[in-house]
Amino acid sequence: MGEESRLVAVVALAQGMAAAHGSRDAWRAAAGGACRALGGSFAALSVWERELGRLRVLVNVGELAEDEEEFPEDESYPVHQFAEITEFLHERWAGGGEPDAWVETAEGASAGRSGYCGQRAAALRRRGRGCCVVAPVVLHGRAWGELYVARPAGAPVFGRGDADFATVLAAVVAAGIAQTERLEEARRLAYTDSLTGLANRRAVDARLDEAVDRHRRDGAVVSLVVCDLNGLKRVNDTLGHAVGDRLLERFGTVLSLCGAMVPGALAARLGGDEFCLLAVGPPADEVVKAADEVCRRAAELGIGDGVACGVASTEDPVGPVHSARRLFRLADAAQYRAKAERAAHPVVAGREGPDDPVIRLADEPSRAADGERRRFRGRHSP
C-alpha cells in the first residue's frame, strides 16, 4: 500500500470512529478500519483490565472462527499469557522506547521484536490464520489495550512496514477512543442527576417517549412510579440543606435498590423531592411490589417522613395511553392521592373500578378539589 493509500485509510478510520454512536460502534469502526487498512481478514480490539489481570476482547470483526463473536460476552485472556503487554509497555516503553507494533506468525515471531509466540501462535494455527500484527493502544499515557489484525494461512506475511503502519493506526484508534469517552461522559452528565447519581428528568423524558411508542406499536407494558419524598422542606429548614441532601441521596439509594427488583427499570430523580421508576415489559404487579418496598424502606430512613408513591401502568384499566404525558399524569395523580391520604403503600391508578378518582383527577387537571389540589406540571408534550 502506497503512502497516499495509507493516508486515505487513516482518514477513513478516523472518520468512521468520529461518526460512531457510542462505544460499541467506535470499537467496531476501529477494528474494521484497521483490518481494511492493513489488508487483513480479521481484527480485534481488546482492553487491558489491570485490576483483573486480563486482556478482554471488546469486538471481533471480519472472518470469525467458530468460537468468536462480534461482541463477546466474556472472551478474555490472562495477561501473563501475553508477556509482551507487560514487558514491552512497562519495561521498554516506560524506559524511553516507543509503543511499536510487532508481527507474529503461526510458526513464531516475525517482524518487529522477536521472541513472542506461544499462545498467539497456537491461536493463529487453531483458527486457520497465518500471521498477525499486534499494536499497543496507548491512552492518556498508559497502555489501554491492543489492536490485533490477522491474515489467513497462505496469505502474505505482514512486514516491518505493516507493523509501523499498525502503530500509526493504533494511535488513531486511541484518539478516537478518547473522543468517544469524552462524548459519553458528556452524555452521562447530561442524563444524570449530579446529587444522587440517578437518571435525571431528561433521561426519563427520552425513555418514556420511547416506551409509549413501543406500547402503541406492539403492546409492551409500560409502568411508571412517581414518588414524592415527604418532609424534605422541614429537614432543610430545621436541620440544614446538607442533611436534606443526605436524605435525597439515601432515598436515591433506596429507589435504586428497589428498582433492581424490576428488570430493566430506570430509577430517576425528576428534581427537588420528586423521583420516579420507569419499567417497560414486566407485569404491573411486579412494579407495584417494588413501589411498596420503596414505601417501606423510605419509612425506615430515620430522617424525613417517608414517601408518597403513585403507580400507573398500561396493563391496568386506565384507558388508552397514547402519550407519555397521559401516563405521567396518571402516576402523578396517584401520587397526589397517596400524599393527601398519607398512604403507607402505593396508590395505583385504575384499580378502584370504572369511576376511579385517580383517573378523574388525571384527566381533569384544570379543576381544583377543595381549593388545595395542585396543578399538574406539563412535563411532556401531548
Side-chain angles (χ1 to χ4, degrees):
M1 180 182 288
E3 290 299 319
E4 184 176 346
S5 297
R6 287 187 169 178
L7 178 59
V8 170
V10 167
V11 171
L13 172 57
Q15 290 177 337
M17 293 193 72
H21 297 287
S23 291
R24 281 194 163 199
D25 280 352
W27 301 337
R28 184 195 288 117
C35 191
R36 288 188 293 274
L38 286 163
S41 61
F42 169 86
L45 183 67
S46 303
V47 63
W48 181 9
E49 296 182 329
R50 284 177 172 78
E51 70 280 9
L52 299 176
R54 67 180 188 177
L55 278 171
R56 180 169 63 88
V57 179
L58 299 174
V59 64
N60 294 309
V61 301
E63 298 174 6
L64 307 187
E66 290 184 1
D67 60 340
E68 292 170 330
E69 299 176 0
E70 182 179 22
F71 292 107
E73 288 294 325
D74 190 26
E75 182 185 350
S76 60
Y77 305 93
V79 75
H80 71 264
Q81 293 182 357
F82 304 97
E84 69 275 7
I85 291 293
T86 50
E87 179 186 342
F88 183 78
L89 290 174
H90 275 274
E91 296 179 13
R92 302 182 183 279
W93 178 47
E98 294 296 329
D100 295 328
W102 63 91
V103 175
E104 296 180 30
T105 71
E107 285 72 43
S110 181
R113 281 191 43 77
S114 61
Y116 301 133
C117 48
Q119 296 292 333
R120 288 192 195 275
L124 286 170
R125 291 192 295 270
R126 185 172 69 252
R127 290 165 175 160
R129 294 166 188 152
C131 63
C132 67
V133 59
V134 185
V137 177
V138 178
L139 193 62
H140 309 309
R142 301 179 66 194
W144 180 89
E146 67 171 39
L147 179 65
Y148 174 103
V149 180
R151 287 175 177 168
V157 173
F158 290 113
R160 179 67 260 175
D162 295 312
D164 291 341
F165 186 39
T167 300
V168 173
L169 294 173
V172 175
V173 168
I177 290 170
Q179 176 67 8
T180 299
E181 289 182 350
R182 286 192 293 270
L183 290 174
E184 292 202 331
E185 177 64 8
R187 292 189 190 103
R188 186 190 68 78
L189 293 174
Y191 288 93
T192 302
D193 176 65
S194 59
L195 178 63
T196 63
L198 300 179
N200 62 14
R201 174 183 158 179
R202 183 182 289 108
V204 174
D205 286 348
R207 185 76 66 86
L208 187 55
D209 285 337
E210 293 173 359
V212 172
D213 285 345
R214 275 192 58 190
H215 168 70
R216 295 173 62 183
R217 186 173 62 250
D218 56 29
V221 175
V222 182
S223 302
L224 182 68
V225 182
V226 172
C227 306
D228 195 284
L229 191 57
N230 298 324
L232 178 63
K233 185 178 186 303
R234 177 185 60 78
V235 170
N236 284 334
D237 291 345
T238 59
L239 301 176
H241 285 272
V243 178
D245 285 351
R246 190 157 68 248
L247 172 59
L248 290 168
E249 290 175 319
R250 290 177 65 183
F251 180 71
T253 300
V254 165
L255 188 67
S256 179
L257 290 171
C258 296
M261 297 168 57
V262 183
L266 177 72
R269 181 186 177 205
L270 299 172
D273 57 2
E274 290 197 312
F275 294 76
C276 79
L277 276 177
L278 172 61
V280 183
D285 283 346
E286 287 188 22
V287 179
V288 173
K289 182 179 178 181
D292 196 51
E293 185 68 8
V294 169
C295 292
R296 185 186 70 79
R297 294 196 184 202
E300 299 173 351
L301 284 176
I303 52 176
D305 300 315
V307 66
C309 283
V311 184
S313 176
T314 59
E315 193 176 50
D316 285 320
V318 296
V321 176
H322 295 310
S323 70
R325 182 178 182 180
R326 183 161 193 270
L327 191 66
F328 224 127
R329 294 177 88 84
L330 286 162
D332 214 13
Q335 181 271 124
Y336 175 78
R337 189 174 185 205
K339 195 174 190 73
E341 296 178 354
R342 298 182 178 275
H345 302 281
V347 170
V348 185
R351 296 197 174 183
E352 293 190 28
D355 199 31
D356 191 315
V358 169
I359 297 178
R360 290 205 316 271
L361 188 64
D363 290 343
E364 300 176 9
S366 62
R367 295 186 180 181
D370 300 328
E372 296 179 353
R373 209 192 79 204
R374 66 181 177 178
R375 292 180 63 84
F376 287 91
R377 291 164 303 285
R379 296 189 184 92
H380 296 80
S381 59

